[in-house]
Amino acid sequence: MKRLYQGRRVILTSCLPVQMQPKGFIGSTLNQKTLVAELNRALRIHQENKKDIIDLKEIYKNKQQIYERASNAEDRLVNNMVAVAYPSAFTRQIVGYTYPSGIQFVPLTEEVRADVEKLNRFMKAEDKTAVDKIMENEQSIIGTHYRAILPDALVPNECPFEILPLNAENTFVAYSTYNRRKPVYSYHSFMVEETPGGLQKFIHQVYTGNMCFVYKSDSEFSVQESDFVSATPHILKDVPIIEYPNNEFRLGDWELGIDLFNAINVMTSDGLNDVEQAVLCYLVLLGVRTPNEEELKAMKKNKILNFEGAQGINQDAKFITAQLDGQSAELFRTYLENAIHTVVGIPDRNSSGGGDTGEAINAKNGWREIDTVAKNKAMFTEASERKLLRVALEILKPKYISKSLSVLDVDIKIARNKDDNIQTKTQAGSTLYSMGVAKSDVAAIMDISTDIEGFTKRWEEAEQKKQANANKKPQDSVPNTENIA
């Protein structure tokens, strides 16, 4: 059966540590004794996700289904295989539209501005922008991303923590069945060689809200109690490996359009085959003896075909060709491409509005759809960034920032300028403002920035500055006669 891609499975567990067990809890307690069985159960689920993740990364790199047709090459006169790189193009466009200016931490009050600026400097020192770029691409391709934020342990530098992007093939987060938003533990594994070129072992790390368990196993897919290495407490008060889902189903941006990609690749390849077969098709000679090798060479060289035979016999030569109906093929291809744009939510470059202008063109060409896609992605990213921020503050307090700073004092901004049709929007905003509508409502209706609060604040500051300049008294224009002789 052909593999269907329908998002990554969320791993849920009712095996909870004592501090997470609600009133009336039913289930087992997560500790060193129960962890091995719980982890092996979760790893079996993760293996299905891992297969999808590997496949989706290959598709993104344009290793698409059409190339599997090579095994049937002997059954075809011509077997061109062309894969249109829609996956990488769609990822580039959606990521660029959703995160044009990256992710920023913004203070909500002036009292915490100094602390938040220091926080941003630490994030910059850890190249968070580059890590965010990895997250943005993986979200789009495989539907999720994982990263760890941990105290600097081995080589301390100017930043007291480190942010590590993790391979999603070897990482997952398990959530509570009692609260699907609450992570119970996280898992990450990697391979090591005990000696150069020697036996390979797999290190399995499990983080809970206050412990780190380590196992060393011969197997990548399971652990045993005898594989136990260590159990170390940590002070982060939360699971330090954080998942950044693309949406609630962990679907990639173009995952549901893979069958349409395959159909377009088949049409493109067979269209090229059709052109090439017109040159390589068979020549049928009717009522004519088969030419020998010398005669065939002379025919190819001189481009002359001479019929010899008894009179009264019908003689003819025809090429066997079976060309596709070009017009029908083009209509079908256009239908498939339109379907891809609809499913993925990508604007159509080829649509023209005729007499349409402004918002009518945006609605027709698909810009509203990609804006909706971007909003949905940003919601889940902000939630994950808040978890990262909570752990970062635990590492930084109280040595580097104020002990009172909390996630309630910091806003997460994914700014996205929306300057299309800006003249019409600003004219409408001017009309509303002259009617006495509040600046925040005007900014929301104009919809030219995702940072409504910041836009409104800058607007008010500009007005105050303009008013202050207008209130200044002009200097008396009395000529200076001191230096006149």
Side-chain angles (χ1 to χ4, degrees):
M1 179 179 177
K2 184 174 67 173
R3 190 169 183 80
L4 297 177
Y5 301 97
Q6 299 175 319
R8 314 289 77 74
R9 289 182 62 183
V10 179
I11 297 177
L12 300 173
T13 180
S14 59
C15 183
L16 307 182
V18 174
Q19 65 271 22
M20 289 186 64
Q21 295 176 5
K23 187 176 180 180
F25 171 72
I26 299 175
S28 56
T29 299
L30 184 65
N31 51 39
Q32 184 177 332
K33 180 182 289 188
T34 59
L35 181 57
V36 169
E38 165 61 25
L39 185 58
N40 287 331
R41 179 197 67 85
L43 280 169
R44 287 191 292 270
I45 300 173
H46 178 66
Q47 292 311 305
E48 294 300 313
N49 288 341
K50 181 174 182 176
K51 293 175 185 176
D52 287 351
I53 290 169
I54 293 172
D55 289 349
L56 290 168
K57 286 181 178 179
E58 291 297 311
I59 292 172
Y60 171 76
K61 292 184 286 188
N62 216 34
K63 187 178 179 181
Q64 299 193 48
Q65 190 181 70
I66 187 67
Y67 294 118
E68 297 176 6
R69 203 166 72 170
S71 59
N72 300 325
E74 295 180 357
D75 302 331
R76 297 170 179 267
L77 178 62
V78 181
N79 186 31
N80 288 295
M81 293 171 288
V82 179
V84 184
Y86 278 119
S88 59
F90 285 170
T91 288
R92 181 177 65 245
Q93 187 165 0
I94 292 176
V95 167
Y97 186 86
T98 306
Y99 304 102
S101 304
I103 304 170
Q104 305 164 1
F105 294 125
V106 180
L108 289 176
T109 63
E110 285 299 320
E111 289 77 10
V112 299
R113 181 173 296 277
D115 282 336
V116 175
E117 287 178 353
K118 187 178 292 185
L119 170 68
N120 282 324
R121 288 198 298 271
F122 284 136
M123 294 293 177
K124 187 174 182 179
E126 280 300 305
D127 299 315
K128 183 175 180 293
T129 303
V131 178
D132 285 345
K133 180 59 180 175
I134 297 173
M135 176 273 294
E136 295 159 11
N137 287 338
E138 288 193 345
Q139 267 190 344
S140 177
I141 298 165
I142 62 177
T144 193
H145 164 80
Y146 299 94
R147 67 175 59 165
I149 177 167
L150 299 166
D152 256 341
L154 298 178
V155 185
N157 54 23
E158 63 275 2
C159 182
F161 59 77
E162 54 186 350
I163 302 175
L164 307 172
L166 303 177
N167 187 349
E169 298 172 21
N170 305 317
T171 311
F172 66 81
V173 175
Y175 297 87
S176 170
T177 52
Y178 288 87
N179 182 353
R180 293 171 65 102
R181 295 185 58 202
K182 187 68 176 174
V184 178
Y185 65 88
S186 59
Y187 166 85
H188 176 65
S189 69
F190 54 92
M191 185 188 72
V192 295
E193 292 181 351
E194 294 189 327
T195 58
L199 186 65
Q200 294 178 346
K201 293 282 188 177
F202 292 90
I203 303 299
H204 304 263
Q205 297 176 328
V206 179
Y207 284 93
T208 66
N210 59 2
M211 294 290 294
C212 174
F213 298 92
V214 179
Y215 295 83
K216 183 169 71 173
S217 171
D218 294 330
S219 172
E220 181 182 2
F221 309 114
S222 64
V223 297
Q224 301 176 8
E225 292 185 9
S226 58
D227 296 328
F228 176 78
V229 175
S230 65
T232 308
H234 66 74
I235 58 171
L236 302 178
K237 299 182 181 179
D238 215 331
V239 177
I241 295 179
I242 298 155
E243 182 180 16
Y244 283 67
N246 196 44
N247 47 58
E248 60 184 307
F249 302 107
R250 278 68 173 170
L251 275 163
D253 288 333
W254 39 261
E255 190 171 330
L256 296 180
I258 290 176
D259 284 344
L260 294 170
F261 297 157
N262 294 335
I264 288 180
N265 291 338
V266 169
M267 289 205 65
T268 303
S269 300
D270 286 346
L272 187 58
N273 288 345
D274 190 35
V275 173
E276 194 168 342
Q277 283 175 163
V279 180
L280 299 178
C281 58
Y282 288 97
L283 175 64
V284 178
L285 301 176
L286 303 174
V288 181
R289 67 175 178 82
T290 303
N292 57 39
E293 291 294 330
E294 292 297 325
E295 291 172 330
L296 285 172
K297 289 180 181 179
M299 290 164 56
K300 289 181 180 180
K301 180 179 179 180
N302 301 317
K303 309 299 182 186
I304 296 175
L305 183 62
N306 181 36
F307 292 156
E308 294 180 0
Q311 294 184 355
I313 297 177
N314 292 327
Q315 297 176 317
D316 198 1
K318 295 181 178 180
F319 284 105
I320 299 177
T321 60
Q323 294 185 342
L324 297 173
D325 179 358
Q327 185 175 1
S328 299
E330 183 60 29
L331 286 173
F332 188 46
R333 180 186 173 88
T334 301
Y335 163 77
L336 292 174
E337 289 181 336
N338 290 339
I340 284 181
H341 287 287
T342 301
V343 169
V344 178
I346 290 290
D348 186 357
R349 294 173 180 265
N350 298 321
S351 295
S352 58
D356 296 335
T357 58
E359 288 302 310
I361 291 180
N362 289 341
K364 183 175 182 179
N365 291 5
W367 285 102
R368 287 183 180 176
E369 280 78 3
I370 194 173
D371 196 57
T372 301
V373 170
K375 287 179 180 178
N376 292 339
K377 289 164 66 72
M379 283 191 296
F380 285 89
T381 300
E382 287 177 14
S384 298
E385 281 287 286
R386 198 161 285 112
K387 294 177 182 178
L388 178 88
L389 176 61
R390 186 174 288 111
V391 178
L393 294 182
E394 285 297 325
I395 297 173
L396 295 175
K397 292 190 297 187
K399 182 177 180 180
Y400 299 94
I401 59 175
S402 172
K403 187 177 181 179
S404 61
L405 185 67
S406 74
V407 293
L408 300 177
D409 301 315
V410 184
D411 196 12
I412 297 162
K413 294 293 184 184
I414 304 177
R416 193 172 69 253
N417 291 325
K418 303 160 73 176
D419 54 5
D420 54 291
N421 202 26
I422 192 168
Q423 183 176 1
T424 302
K425 292 178 178 180
T426 52
Q427 287 175 347
S430 178
T431 302
L432 291 170
Y433 185 53
S434 65
M435 293 168 57
V437 178
K439 291 186 179 71
S440 57
D441 293 333
V442 173
I445 293 170
M446 286 194 300
D447 193 29
I448 60 178
S449 174
T450 55
D451 184 10
I452 301 298
E453 184 178 348
F455 179 85
T456 305
K457 184 178 180 180
R458 292 188 295 273
W459 183 3
E460 291 176 345
E461 290 173 350
E463 276 198 341
Q464 292 171 2
K465 185 177 180 180
K466 182 179 179 182
Q467 186 65 37
N469 291 334
N471 291 337
K472 287 182 179 179
K473 292 182 179 181
Q475 298 293 328
D476 295 333
S477 56
V478 178
N480 187 359
T481 59
E482 292 181 2
N483 297 326
I484 299 178

